[in-house]
Amino acid sequence: MSAHTGTRSFDVIVVGLGGLGSATAWHLARSGRRVLGLEQFTFGHDRGASHDTSRILRHSYHRPDYVRLTRHAYADWSDLERESGERLVTRTGGVDLCPEGSAIPLDDYTKSLDAENIPYELLSAADVTERWPRISPPPDVTALYQERTSIVPAAQSVAAMLRLAGVCGATLMDRTPVLSVQQSAHGVEVITPHARYSAGQVVLCTDAWANTLLEPLGTTIPLTVLDQQVTYFEPDDPAGFAPEVFPVWIWLDDPSFFGFPCYGEATVKAGEDCGGPEVDPGNRTGTTDPAMLERLSAFMAERFPGSGRPVRSKRCLYTLTPDRDFVLGPVPGADRVLVGLGAAHAYKFAPTLGRMLAELAAVPALADTEPYTTFRLDRPALTDTGYAAHWMT
């Protein structure tokens, strides 16, 4: 039941309408809930982590529980494609390149895939170059190839999920920052600069801004926010980097790099995972970091001959938990408030995590079941001040 405090009432209010928030609003609305979605910036803004073009959808992961979750991700992306009438998944195949002595053990990936019976191939450096002449790995590399690895579009799919949420009856408002969230015995009140709204539950998908609203509720999450940079390169022969002949790739070491074939234009996109400086999300310049650009450009020239010169760079936020696991569950002591936070690798799971948050809002007891228990707010990584952060996945 919704709370009624004299303000406009809803069943659930979703705060933050990026990838996770838009997915949550859609799944809640399609289930018949009265939904209000609030976004502090404009719809489709570029100040967070859900803008621009390509994201990686893949089975290969470092733990079996994540591999298991990827099965749901593929199914939920297919569901989104059916509902939206848009093509959102472009299969390219994916290759994880692991040099000898890597900081990210390839065994973690193979054991996790084996545990979930996901097929893959192991390739030598020579095998990689033979199959993809535009990749030039060092001789000590072992590569893992998984045929279902795909590209999904960030900005396009956020827009699709918001559109579907609206079609299903959700009220969506941008340029509406939330000043506070207050829980009472009867529900939750959300205060904005111009209005107050009440609901039975609130879902916070506010990413780098999460603690602004959590701290008054008596909870904070130890977050590190990095200002990431991706760069688009102009290859000399774009046909050699087309999705039909060139894969999504990840370099499994420290530093870890990732990249894409040409997607939507005659450029290839690449970036360094967790390579940006720590930043205040509300105070960023958005300018290109020359040191990051040089580091990435040198790697691309060495390992991907012909990838070409850099033509533009873009910034996005990486909001990292100490264990780099998601946050998905009720706030301790304020269980009508749910949190969804993706730890800078969740976009591939966006439709799935939105569905899970919607299901949790409908059935709170799910918080005590797998996989929710892995991602709860009171786990040691988020409560033990001595926990050693690690972000290599």
Side-chain angles (χ1 to χ4, degrees):
M1 297 289 293
S2 297
H4 294 276
T5 60
T7 61
R8 190 176 178 189
S9 298
F10 296 85
D11 293 320
V12 187
I13 298 173
V14 180
V15 183
L17 295 175
L20 269 61
S22 62
T24 303
W26 167 45
H27 281 288
L28 285 165
R30 78 191 297 206
S31 70
R33 309 297 292 277
R34 292 179 299 135
V35 177
L36 172 65
L38 301 175
E39 169 55 54
Q40 65 174 323
F41 304 120
T42 58
F43 294 135
H45 67 86
D46 64 356
R47 299 178 65 174
S50 298
H51 56 284
D52 201 28
T53 55
S54 47
R55 299 294 190 274
I56 300 172
L57 173 62
R58 60 186 170 113
H59 280 306
S60 60
Y61 250 97
H62 63 302
R63 289 201 328 241
D65 57 337
Y66 275 109
V67 176
R68 195 154 49 246
L69 202 59
T70 66
R71 291 186 181 275
H72 296 284
Y74 277 92
D76 288 323
W77 277 103
S78 293
D79 180 37
L80 177 56
E81 286 188 310
R82 285 191 300 271
E83 290 293 310
S84 67
E86 300 179 39
R87 183 193 179 198
L88 300 172
V89 179
T90 301
R91 184 184 294 194
T92 64
V95 60
D96 300 325
L97 302 160
C98 187
E100 187 176 356
S102 167
I104 306 174
L106 190 62
D107 282 356
D108 290 350
Y109 282 69
T110 57
K111 290 177 182 177
S112 299
L113 290 166
D114 288 340
E116 293 301 315
N117 296 311
I118 300 290
Y120 60 88
E121 296 178 60
L122 290 179
L123 306 173
S124 68
D127 295 332
V128 169
T129 301
E130 181 178 4
R131 188 175 298 190
W132 301 287
R134 293 295 191 165
I135 305 179
S136 179
D140 66 347
V141 155
T142 301
L144 184 157
Y145 174 72
Q146 213 291 312
E147 64 179 2
R148 291 191 76 195
T149 299
S150 303
I151 301 171
V152 292
Q156 180 187 349
S157 51
V158 167
M161 290 186 286
L162 290 177
R163 176 174 60 81
L164 291 173
V167 168
C168 293
T171 299
L172 305 174
M173 301 171 62
D174 66 351
R175 304 181 188 184
T176 307
V178 171
L179 303 179
S180 70
V181 174
Q182 301 172 2
Q183 176 168 304
S184 70
H186 306 290
V188 188
E189 188 171 54
V190 171
I191 301 171
T192 74
H194 305 295
R196 292 172 179 253
Y197 304 95
S198 66
Q201 294 160 303
V202 169
V203 184
L204 301 181
C205 295
T206 47
D207 203 51
W209 292 267
N211 285 327
T212 303
L213 297 176
L214 288 174
E215 188 169 8
L217 296 172
T219 295
T220 58
I221 301 172
L223 299 175
T224 301
V225 182
L226 304 182
D227 198 11
Q228 289 300 120
Q229 180 169 288
V230 296
T231 297
Y232 290 81
F233 295 81
E234 188 174 61
D236 53 2
D237 177 19
F241 292 89
E244 298 79 14
V245 298
F246 188 80
V248 166
W249 59 269
I250 299 174
W251 179 258
L252 293 180
D253 203 1
D254 187 10
S256 177
F257 299 97
F258 60 90
F260 300 81
C262 294
Y263 179 71
E265 61 177 40
T267 61
V268 293
K269 172 184 165 184
E272 179 184 345
D273 186 52
C274 299
E278 192 167 352
V279 69
D280 175 350
N283 185 23
R284 304 158 62 204
T285 66
T287 58
T288 299
D289 183 304
M292 293 172 67
L293 177 60
E294 173 56 33
R295 187 162 61 244
L296 177 62
S297 297
F299 178 84
M300 293 295 289
E302 182 178 20
R303 298 297 168 216
F304 299 90
S307 55
R309 65 181 184 87
V311 292
R312 70 179 185 276
S313 295
K314 295 184 74 70
R315 307 302 287 264
C316 69
L317 293 179
Y318 264 32
T319 303
L320 299 159
T321 56
D323 54 3
R324 210 174 179 184
D325 282 337
F326 305 147
V327 181
L328 201 71
V331 174
D335 60 1
R336 291 179 178 268
V337 181
L338 308 178
V339 175
L341 192 147
H345 64 116
Y347 202 90
K348 65 181 70 64
F349 298 107
T352 297
L353 297 183
R355 175 178 55 77
M356 291 174 66
L357 286 164
E359 291 170 354
L360 183 60
V363 186
L366 287 173
D368 296 321
T369 67
E370 290 289 348
Y372 295 93
T373 50
T374 301
F375 305 129
R376 57 191 298 143
L377 276 77
D378 59 358
R379 65 182 187 262
L382 305 187
T383 58
D384 181 356
T385 56
Y387 189 90
H390 54 93
W391 299 331
M392 294 287 101
T393 58

